[in-house]
Amino acid sequence: MKTIQLLFIVLSIFMFTACSDDENDDPVNLPAANEFTVTIENIAEGKDFFAYGSTGLITPGNSESFSFNAGKGHYLNFATMFVQSNDLFYAPSDAGIALYDSDGNAVTGDVTSQFYYWDAGTEVNQEPGVGADQAPRQSGPNTGTAENGTIKLLSMVNDGYTYPTLSDVIKVSIAHDGGTLFTVTVENKSNTASLASPFAPGSWVVHSSGQYPLFKDGSTASSNLEGLAEDGNLEGFNTTLGANSGLVSPFAPGAYSVGKTNELFMLGQSSTEALMALAEDGNASGFAMHFNTPDQGDSPAPIFPNQSYSFTFTAEEGDYLSLATMLVQSNDWFIGFDNLKLYSGSTPLTGDITSSLMVFDSGTELDEYAGAGNYQAPRQPSANSGMDENGVVSIENDLSSNVPDLSQMVRVTITAN
């Protein structure tokens, strides 16, 4: 009898254990799992030029300075009205002044020899300093006789009038303040010339080779140039240059990790070799899970405006997504997530997750002004060629003044299936 009772107890324990195991194996009680797709879009608006600005009225005997950042391959153009004329202006060649020489050294010193008198071809010339349709004698802006001509060097215009020697009237010099910072000083020397004249407000712009942001020799003047050359009116240029100047950055191939921890980087810790390669040079190959081919292409490349990357992965409740992709116009900045939660309870994350993005600094290379640094792609001589920072991975809170908000540069969305 005792033996039968003992067997019954053992059998009961076995059945209980078996039932318990069956319950643990029941798929209903397993964590939810989903397939997710992430899309990273470069939504930046294309910009033609890097930076712009203006000068005010510069009276005889006075000067004005302006500063900007520029990198190798950048040019400066500047135009200001010769006020005692109908439509003449001072400017360098239409292609601008190279800010670095062929050896990569910053151009400095007196650059007045690169400036000329230009005729906008919009208003018939009158004797300088005398004409009734010249400021300050004209009855109103744009009141002279229309010329319907083209932009020319004044030396190519045979109007029969005598003009002061340019170097007796204006002096333009460039100083290199270190790094990528330049200061230009425009001096009005006309108080010692035969014809004293103020310089009206002028426009300056930093641009790339082969661009003609203010005017083009032999072309009909734009309404913007006409306003500047006839009346010192910068409203047109300020609007046009303002809308077409600024930082535009591609985003490089990147990496991601899925799980309970961030396998890409750790805040406050030194960067790994793989993260350094990603953040400095857009090389994500050091990570097992990475993306490198734009949706619009068939080979590895950065994404430019209107292009995107996509990648797909499977995750379960309790998992996090970490992401890193280089902000190309920087030394070692990358954007991404540090452990973004993929579920709320059992509900998978879906929708626009751009607001969760942050800019991180890998701490591996000293920062330069974004878009101008000579150790940033594509200006750097080779990969990993900037000055070592010997720092740690951190959230970057000191962005260059020209870096737009991330919401204006990139959009990241996630869908769950």
Short mmCIF file of all heavy atoms in Angstrom, two decimals, residues 186-215:
data_model
loop_
_atom_site.label_atom_id
_atom_site.label_comp_id
_atom_site.label_asym_id
_atom_site.label_seq_id
_atom_site.Cartn_x
_atom_site.Cartn_y
_atom_site.Cartn_z
N VAL A 186 38.02 96.21 -45.82
CA VAL A 186 37.82 97.07 -46.98
C VAL A 186 38.00 98.51 -46.52
O VAL A 186 37.27 98.99 -45.64
CB VAL A 186 36.41 96.88 -47.58
CG1 VAL A 186 36.24 97.76 -48.82
CG2 VAL A 186 36.16 95.41 -47.92
N GLU A 187 38.98 99.18 -47.10
CA GLU A 187 39.31 100.56 -46.70
C GLU A 187 38.98 101.53 -47.83
O GLU A 187 39.33 101.30 -48.98
CB GLU A 187 40.80 100.65 -46.37
CG GLU A 187 41.25 102.04 -45.94
CD GLU A 187 42.75 102.12 -45.69
OE1 GLU A 187 43.41 101.05 -45.70
OE2 GLU A 187 43.26 103.24 -45.50
N ASN A 188 38.30 102.61 -47.48
CA ASN A 188 37.99 103.66 -48.44
C ASN A 188 39.09 104.72 -48.36
O ASN A 188 39.17 105.49 -47.39
CB ASN A 188 36.63 104.28 -48.14
CG ASN A 188 36.16 105.25 -49.21
OD1 ASN A 188 36.97 105.88 -49.89
ND2 ASN A 188 34.85 105.39 -49.34
N LYS A 189 39.95 104.77 -49.37
CA LYS A 189 41.08 105.70 -49.42
C LYS A 189 40.77 106.94 -50.26
O LYS A 189 41.66 107.76 -50.52
CB LYS A 189 42.30 104.99 -50.01
CG LYS A 189 42.77 103.79 -49.22
CD LYS A 189 43.85 103.01 -49.97
CE LYS A 189 45.07 103.86 -50.26
NZ LYS A 189 46.11 103.10 -51.00
N SER A 190 39.53 107.10 -50.66
CA SER A 190 39.23 108.14 -51.65
C SER A 190 39.32 109.55 -51.10
O SER A 190 39.19 110.51 -51.86
CB SER A 190 37.85 107.90 -52.26
OG SER A 190 36.82 108.12 -51.31
N ASN A 191 39.55 109.72 -49.78
CA ASN A 191 39.71 111.08 -49.25
C ASN A 191 41.00 111.70 -49.74
O ASN A 191 41.18 112.93 -49.68
CB ASN A 191 39.67 111.08 -47.72
CG ASN A 191 40.77 110.23 -47.11
OD1 ASN A 191 41.21 109.25 -47.70
ND2 ASN A 191 41.23 110.62 -45.92
N THR A 192 41.92 110.88 -50.25
CA THR A 192 43.17 111.41 -50.80
C THR A 192 43.19 111.34 -52.32
O THR A 192 44.18 111.68 -52.95
CB THR A 192 44.38 110.62 -50.25
OG1 THR A 192 44.25 109.25 -50.63
CG2 THR A 192 44.44 110.72 -48.73
N ALA A 193 42.11 110.87 -52.90
CA ALA A 193 42.03 110.74 -54.35
C ALA A 193 41.40 111.98 -54.97
O ALA A 193 40.88 112.86 -54.27
CB ALA A 193 41.23 109.49 -54.72
N SER A 194 41.41 112.02 -56.28
CA SER A 194 40.86 113.17 -56.98
C SER A 194 39.35 113.25 -56.87
O SER A 194 38.77 114.32 -57.03
CB SER A 194 41.27 113.12 -58.46
OG SER A 194 40.79 111.91 -59.06
N LEU A 195 38.71 112.14 -56.59
CA LEU A 195 37.25 112.12 -56.47
C LEU A 195 36.87 111.28 -55.25
O LEU A 195 36.94 110.05 -55.27
CB LEU A 195 36.61 111.52 -57.73
CG LEU A 195 35.09 111.42 -57.71
CD1 LEU A 195 34.44 112.80 -57.57
CD2 LEU A 195 34.59 110.74 -58.96
N ALA A 196 36.54 111.96 -54.17
CA ALA A 196 36.13 111.25 -52.96
C ALA A 196 34.73 110.69 -53.14
O ALA A 196 33.83 111.37 -53.65
CB ALA A 196 36.17 112.17 -51.76
N SER A 197 34.55 109.43 -52.74
CA SER A 197 33.25 108.80 -52.89
C SER A 197 33.06 107.74 -51.82
O SER A 197 33.98 106.95 -51.55
CB SER A 197 33.13 108.14 -54.27
OG SER A 197 31.91 107.41 -54.38
N PRO A 198 31.91 107.71 -51.19
CA PRO A 198 31.64 106.59 -50.27
C PRO A 198 31.46 105.30 -51.05
O PRO A 198 31.22 105.31 -52.25
CB PRO A 198 30.35 107.01 -49.59
CG PRO A 198 29.68 107.93 -50.55
CD PRO A 198 30.77 108.63 -51.30
N PHE A 199 31.64 104.17 -50.34
CA PHE A 199 31.27 102.87 -50.89
C PHE A 199 29.91 102.52 -50.31
O PHE A 199 29.72 102.55 -49.09
CB PHE A 199 32.26 101.77 -50.49
CG PHE A 199 33.69 102.04 -50.87
CD1 PHE A 199 34.72 101.44 -50.16
CD2 PHE A 199 34.02 102.86 -51.93
CE1 PHE A 199 36.03 101.66 -50.50
CE2 PHE A 199 35.34 103.10 -52.29
CZ PHE A 199 36.36 102.51 -51.56
N ALA A 200 28.98 102.22 -51.17
CA ALA A 200 27.65 101.83 -50.69
C ALA A 200 27.72 100.45 -50.04
O ALA A 200 28.71 99.73 -50.18
CB ALA A 200 26.67 101.83 -51.86
N PRO A 201 26.68 100.06 -49.30
CA PRO A 201 26.65 98.70 -48.76
C PRO A 201 26.96 97.66 -49.84
O PRO A 201 26.49 97.77 -50.98
CB PRO A 201 25.22 98.57 -48.25
CG PRO A 201 24.85 99.97 -47.85
CD PRO A 201 25.50 100.85 -48.88
N GLY A 202 27.80 96.69 -49.49
CA GLY A 202 28.24 95.67 -50.45
C GLY A 202 27.89 94.27 -50.01
O GLY A 202 27.59 94.02 -48.83
N SER A 203 27.94 93.34 -50.94
CA SER A 203 27.64 91.93 -50.68
C SER A 203 28.90 91.10 -50.84
O SER A 203 29.69 91.32 -51.76
CB SER A 203 26.58 91.40 -51.65
OG SER A 203 25.31 91.94 -51.36
N TRP A 204 29.08 90.13 -49.94
CA TRP A 204 30.17 89.18 -50.08
C TRP A 204 29.61 87.76 -49.96
O TRP A 204 28.57 87.54 -49.35
CB TRP A 204 31.28 89.40 -49.05
CG TRP A 204 30.88 89.30 -47.59
CD1 TRP A 204 30.51 90.31 -46.76
CD2 TRP A 204 30.81 88.09 -46.81
NE1 TRP A 204 30.21 89.83 -45.51
CE2 TRP A 204 30.40 88.47 -45.50
CE3 TRP A 204 31.06 86.75 -47.06
CZ2 TRP A 204 30.23 87.55 -44.47
CZ3 TRP A 204 30.89 85.82 -46.03
CH2 TRP A 204 30.48 86.24 -44.76
N VAL A 205 30.32 86.81 -50.57
CA VAL A 205 29.87 85.43 -50.58
C VAL A 205 31.07 84.50 -50.70
O VAL A 205 32.03 84.79 -51.41
CB VAL A 205 28.85 85.17 -51.72
CG1 VAL A 205 29.43 85.53 -53.07
CG2 VAL A 205 28.34 83.74 -51.71
N VAL A 206 31.05 83.41 -49.94
CA VAL A 206 32.07 82.36 -50.02
C VAL A 206 31.47 81.21 -50.83
O VAL A 206 30.38 80.72 -50.53
CB VAL A 206 32.48 81.87 -48.61
CG1 VAL A 206 33.47 80.72 -48.71
CG2 VAL A 206 33.08 83.02 -47.81
N HIS A 207 32.20 80.77 -51.85
CA HIS A 207 31.63 79.80 -52.79
C HIS A 207 32.72 78.88 -53.32
O HIS A 207 33.90 79.01 -52.96
CB HIS A 207 30.95 80.55 -53.95
CG HIS A 207 31.87 81.46 -54.72
ND1 HIS A 207 32.49 81.08 -55.89
CD2 HIS A 207 32.29 82.73 -54.48
CE1 HIS A 207 33.24 82.08 -56.34
NE2 HIS A 207 33.14 83.09 -55.51
N SER A 208 32.33 77.97 -54.17
CA SER A 208 33.25 76.99 -54.74
C SER A 208 33.77 77.45 -56.10
O SER A 208 33.23 78.37 -56.71
CB SER A 208 32.56 75.63 -54.87
OG SER A 208 32.14 75.16 -53.62
N SER A 209 34.78 76.76 -56.56
CA SER A 209 35.37 77.07 -57.86
C SER A 209 34.33 76.88 -58.97
O SER A 209 33.50 75.98 -58.91
CB SER A 209 36.56 76.15 -58.12
OG SER A 209 37.06 76.31 -59.43
N GLY A 210 34.39 77.76 -59.97
CA GLY A 210 33.50 77.63 -61.12
C GLY A 210 32.13 78.23 -60.93
O GLY A 210 31.27 78.09 -61.81
N GLN A 211 31.90 78.87 -59.79
CA GLN A 211 30.61 79.50 -59.55
C GLN A 211 30.72 81.02 -59.73
O GLN A 211 31.78 81.60 -59.51
CB GLN A 211 30.12 79.20 -58.13
CG GLN A 211 29.79 77.73 -57.90
CD GLN A 211 29.27 77.48 -56.49
OE1 GLN A 211 29.85 77.93 -55.51
NE2 GLN A 211 28.16 76.77 -56.40
N TYR A 212 29.61 81.64 -60.09
CA TYR A 212 29.56 83.08 -60.31
C TYR A 212 28.38 83.64 -59.52
O TYR A 212 27.33 83.95 -60.07
CB TYR A 212 29.42 83.39 -61.80
CG TYR A 212 30.53 82.76 -62.62
CD1 TYR A 212 30.37 81.49 -63.18
CD2 TYR A 212 31.73 83.42 -62.81
CE1 TYR A 212 31.39 80.90 -63.92
CE2 TYR A 212 32.77 82.84 -63.55
CZ TYR A 212 32.58 81.59 -64.10
OH TYR A 212 33.60 81.00 -64.81
N PRO A 213 28.53 83.78 -58.22
CA PRO A 213 27.38 84.09 -57.36
C PRO A 213 26.86 85.52 -57.47
O PRO A 213 25.69 85.77 -57.18
CB PRO A 213 27.91 83.82 -55.96
CG PRO A 213 29.38 84.01 -56.08
CD PRO A 213 29.76 83.53 -57.44
N LEU A 214 27.71 86.48 -57.87
CA LEU A 214 27.28 87.87 -57.91
C LEU A 214 27.06 88.38 -59.33
O LEU A 214 26.13 89.15 -59.58
CB LEU A 214 28.29 88.77 -57.20
CG LEU A 214 28.54 88.46 -55.72
CD1 LEU A 214 29.54 89.45 -55.12
CD2 LEU A 214 27.24 88.48 -54.92
N PHE A 215 27.90 87.97 -60.26
CA PHE A 215 27.77 88.43 -61.65
C PHE A 215 28.67 87.59 -62.53
O PHE A 215 29.55 86.87 -62.04
CB PHE A 215 28.17 89.91 -61.77
CG PHE A 215 29.63 90.18 -61.48
CD1 PHE A 215 30.56 90.27 -62.51
CD2 PHE A 215 30.08 90.33 -60.17
CE1 PHE A 215 31.91 90.50 -62.25
CE2 PHE A 215 31.43 90.57 -59.90
CZ PHE A 215 32.34 90.66 -60.95
#
